[in-house]
């Protein structure tokens, strides 16, 4: 099975890690996907374990010549949709950075092309596979908190000094889609409810000369069955903080409350005295799971439909924040 | 200085505790404020340390006969506004349950009457005085997190079996005003920013036969200077949980993040390695602070204007949740 990588502006590391875990997967070629995109770091990572890999300047020529089974796409965020379409049209399975599109038009084109294909597609919503989030999801599926009623998710990052393409809405897409997508996915995934509306706000103030990049954002989602969920996102985590991110979710249900914080999972419910810290389950590895699905060994944790739905939810939240209006699904 | 208490359906305990701390304060009389309101528990508490206290059936007669300097008001929530007006018209200082009114009309009548008076009024937003919240506020005032950008506050309670007046919107007022008012106050108080808009949701589902009582709610506030804040409120804390409530706030600023959780305060900022747990400061006692203001010894931590503003913010949030529309200030 042959894999190519297009671009080096996202989480291609997921793919390298997954390839390591599997036999019979050949990393065949790499290429930039965006104009001026640098892929030197990807090249160095790849050379370290597979020096025979080919490097192309034009990813389309690479896809035509190498005919990979799977393409890993992570260029400037606005280019990922077009690259995805090029791959889908060639019948290649797509493992692409989230969100798969930064505009409604691109998302619709991707969805249309996907539905005409017979391949697998998933976005890099890798946090589903993190042990703490996977464990919380599993416990909710088992009824550990009863019916989900109220959710609060958090993404907090260090800003540092980001590449120039982060500073333009056109190439970056926005902080809600880029950072928030994970948290938006958790809420939908963990509750099993349908998105109904979103009201959101975001601000570029105090973004340390990062142009259009929003340094803070807040989203308020309503779901079916009168379930509600908030997402707070910020780039204000101090450089000195103990970790790059501070990802969290708290979910209150009819029987208890589950919480992911500091990579741990805490549960209180009507059967527990005090707070229980749950033993962490393994959620697997995202690219390994993708390959397992492609090889029809299993159904992957993350479907193409989920990938599209979360992308749409991100774009609606961004639209709400831009317009300061409630946006409906 | 003479104090009377009207009603026993709220936090009159604040007043009893404050009276204990002061010399020269006489608890003169108690009376119910709402039709059918039971004040037996108040009566027993009072008898324990001041058996000479008079009990009245009609609080207006009590106010006229005993002529207290201060009246403590905590009847069914919808009656507190009218009782407050009766007291203000008699020139009596008012320490009243929050929110001071459950409708816009009542709030306006209270404000009008207050402005014609020359007395002090404060609502029972007692959590400002809790050491952990007071410490967080103080640290923010000192610049510990720079400019406030994003806030997330939480109120989570055990439901238990509530008095019948909680089950009717008319007498209860709603979960956002009753439970959420504290968190709404923290955001305004800690950020120093002005309320601009609110979008909110609430649901009575799974309220264990509590009629109109909303068991979950979520509010999204925007403030001046593009500051945003969420409040999540639920009555889903399991009976077995270690405490009645799980009150929290997390505030991200341009220099760091401060967090109140489990009655502790945690700070990360650009001068700290790791997470610092702050030593807790004393915020004083709310009724003692009220008396200090009345006696012109000091300016109280909580003004009448703040009390009115938070009440209005609660009513706007409730209006938003009822209408599913954004409501502006």
């Amino acid at each position: 099975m042959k894999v190519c990588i297009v671009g080096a502006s996202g989480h291609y590391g997921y793919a390298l890690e997954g390839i390591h875990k599997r036999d019979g997967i050949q990393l065949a070629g790499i290429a930039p996907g965006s104009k001026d995109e640098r892929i030197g770091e990807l090249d160095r990572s790849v050379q370290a374990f597979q020096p025979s890999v080919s490097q192309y300047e034009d990813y389309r020529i690479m896809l035509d010549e190498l005919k990979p089974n799977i393409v890993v796409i992570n260029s400037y965020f606005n280019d990922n949709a077009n690259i995805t379409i090029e791959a889908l049209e060639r019948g290649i399975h797509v493992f692409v950075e989230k969100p798969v599109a930064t505009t409604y038009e691109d998302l619709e084109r991707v969805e249309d092309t996907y539905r005409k294909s017979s391949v697998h597609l998933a976005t890099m919503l890798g946090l589903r596979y993190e042990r703490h989030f996977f464990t919380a999801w599993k416990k909710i599926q088992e009824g550990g908190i009863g019916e989900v009623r109220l959710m609060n998710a958090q993404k907090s990052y260090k800003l540092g000094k980001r590449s120039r393409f982060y500073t333009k809405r056109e190439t970056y897409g926005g902080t809600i889609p880029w950072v928030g997508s994970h948290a938006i996915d958790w809420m939908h995934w963990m509750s099993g409810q349908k998105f109904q509306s979103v009201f959101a706000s975001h601000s570029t103030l105090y973004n340390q000369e990062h142009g259009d990049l929003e340094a803070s954002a807040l989203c308020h989602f309503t779901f079916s069955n009168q379930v509600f969920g908030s997402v707070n996102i910020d780039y204000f985590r101090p450089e000195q903080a103990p970790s790059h991110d501070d990802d969290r979710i708290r979910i209150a249900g009819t029987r208890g409350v589950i919480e992911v914080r500091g990579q741990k999972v805490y549960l209180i419910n009507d059967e527990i005295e005090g707070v229980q810290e749950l033993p962490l389950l393994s959620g697997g590895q995202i690219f390994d799971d993708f390959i397992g699905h492609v090889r029809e060994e299993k159904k992957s944790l993350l479907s193409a439909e989920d990938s599209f739905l979360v992308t749409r939810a991100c774009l609606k939240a961004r639209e709400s924040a831009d317009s300061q209006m409630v946006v409906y699904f």
Side-chain angles (χ1 to χ4, degrees), chain A residues 31 99 114 119 129-130 143 147 157 160 190 229 236 239 255 313 316:
Chain A
Y114 169 78
V119 300
Y129 296 81
E130 293 284 343
E147 296 294 317
Y157 281 176
M190 294 199 188
F236 290 119
E239 282 305 315
R255 279 193 55 215
K316 285 187 185 278

Side-chain angles (χ1 to χ4, degrees), chain A residues 133-157:
Chain A
F133 288 107
F134 183 80
T135 301
W137 171 74
K138 197 83 179 167
K139 179 57 74 176
I140 293 169
Q141 304 317 300
E142 294 166 6
I145 61 165
E147 296 294 317
V148 167
R149 299 306 304 152
L150 187 62
M151 301 178 282
N152 307 99
Q154 171 173 304
K155 292 290 300 177
S156 178
Y157 281 176

Side-chain angles (χ1 to χ4, degrees), chain A residues 152-223:
Chain A
N152 307 99
Q154 171 173 304
K155 292 290 300 177
S156 178
Y157 281 176
K158 295 179 183 176
L159 179 57
K161 180 71 192 153
R162 303 254 160 180
S163 305
R164 186 197 295 254
F165 80 89
Y166 277 76
T167 67
K168 299 280 176 204
R169 166 65 72 89
E170 193 196 336
T171 45
Y172 173 56
T175 293
I176 291 174
W178 174 240
V179 184
S181 48
H182 293 288
I184 293 169
D185 178 51
W186 300 332
M187 295 198 302
H188 153 256
W189 178 49
M190 294 199 188
S191 70
Q193 300 290 342
K194 289 187 164 50
F195 289 105
Q196 288 193 335
S197 74
V198 59
F199 182 74
S201 305
H202 56 192
S203 170
T204 60
L205 291 183
Y206 301 96
N207 70 1
Q208 305 283 345
E209 301 185 345
H210 277 78
D212 298 341
L213 177 144
E214 299 91 356
S216 60
L218 184 63
C219 308
H220 176 133
F221 287 92
T222 67
F223 296 85

Side-chain angles (χ1 to χ4, degrees), chain A residues 76-96:
Chain A
Y76 296 169
F77 309 154
N78 61 319
D79 288 327
N80 289 332
N82 278 332
I83 303 167
T84 295
I85 289 167
E86 294 276 356
L88 292 173
E89 286 175 343
R90 287 167 172 82
I92 304 169
H93 301 289
V94 171
F95 181 64
V96 57

Side-chain angles (χ1 to χ4, degrees), chain A residues 26-283:
Chain A
Q26 182 206 350
L27 180 54
I30 62 174
S34 298
K35 196 167 171 299
D36 303 328
E37 187 181 15
R38 292 182 188 177
I39 63 163
E41 200 179 319
L42 167 63
D43 189 31
R44 282 187 294 280
S45 302
V46 164
Q47 293 296 340
F49 80 100
Q50 199 155 327
S52 65
V53 72
S54 308
Q55 184 164 337
Y56 285 77
E57 285 189 15
D58 187 325
Y59 74 88
R60 281 159 298 205
I61 294 172
M62 175 175 73
L63 299 183
D64 290 335
E65 289 189 3
L66 298 181
K67 300 191 192 320
N69 306 89
I70 295 171
V71 62
V72 175
I73 300 171
N74 67 138
S75 292
Y76 296 169
F77 309 154
N78 61 319
D79 288 327
N80 289 332
N82 278 332
I83 303 167
T84 295
I85 289 167
E86 294 276 356
L88 292 173
E89 286 175 343
R90 287 167 172 82
I92 304 169
H93 301 289
V94 171
F95 181 64
V96 57
E97 186 57 89
K98 48 76 206 162
V100 62
T102 56
T103 66
Y104 289 124
E105 296 69 29
D106 280 357
L107 174 59
E108 280 160 25
R109 290 194 304 119
V110 168
E111 286 177 306
D112 287 348
T113 313
Y114 169 78
R115 293 195 210 297
K116 288 176 200 149
S117 80
S118 55
V119 300
H120 183 41
L121 177 150
T123 51
M124 298 182 187
L125 289 165
L127 298 181
R128 275 198 185 195
Y129 296 81
E130 293 284 343
R131 292 153 60 90
H132 34 295
F133 288 107
F134 183 80
T135 301
W137 171 74
K138 197 83 179 167
K139 179 57 74 176
I140 293 169
Q141 304 317 300
E142 294 166 6
I145 61 165
E147 296 294 317
V148 167
R149 299 306 304 152
L150 187 62
M151 301 178 282
N152 307 99
Q154 171 173 304
K155 292 290 300 177
S156 178
Y157 281 176
K158 295 179 183 176
L159 179 57
K161 180 71 192 153
R162 303 254 160 180
S163 305
R164 186 197 295 254
F165 80 89
Y166 277 76
T167 67
K168 299 280 176 204
R169 166 65 72 89
E170 193 196 336
T171 45
Y172 173 56
T175 293
I176 291 174
W178 174 240
V179 184
S181 48
H182 293 288
I184 293 169
D185 178 51
W186 300 332
M187 295 198 302
H188 153 256
W189 178 49
M190 294 199 188
S191 70
Q193 300 290 342
K194 289 187 164 50
F195 289 105
Q196 288 193 335
S197 74
V198 59
F199 182 74
S201 305
H202 56 192
S203 170
T204 60
L205 291 183
Y206 301 96
N207 70 1
Q208 305 283 345
E209 301 185 345
H210 277 78
D212 298 341
L213 177 144
E214 299 91 356
S216 60
L218 184 63
C219 308
H220 176 133
F221 287 92
T222 67
F223 296 85
S224 49
N225 201 28
Q226 300 180 33
V227 170
F228 317 125
S230 70
V231 179
N232 56 285
I233 310 164
D234 70 77
Y235 274 113
F236 290 119
R237 191 156 170 80
E239 282 305 315
Q240 286 85 333
S243 61
H244 167 66
D245 52 26
D246 183 5
D247 293 346
R248 303 183 189 184
I249 193 165
R250 174 187 182 271
I251 306 186
T254 52
R255 279 193 55 215
V257 179
I258 200 163
E259 197 176 348
V260 177
R261 176 162 42 83
Q263 306 194 304
K264 295 183 176 185
V265 185
Y266 303 98
L267 176 68
I268 51 175
N269 71 23
D270 52 13
E271 290 173 347
I272 297 170
E273 289 292 329
V275 180
Q276 186 183 4
E277 186 183 332
L278 299 185
L280 297 180
L281 308 173
S282 169

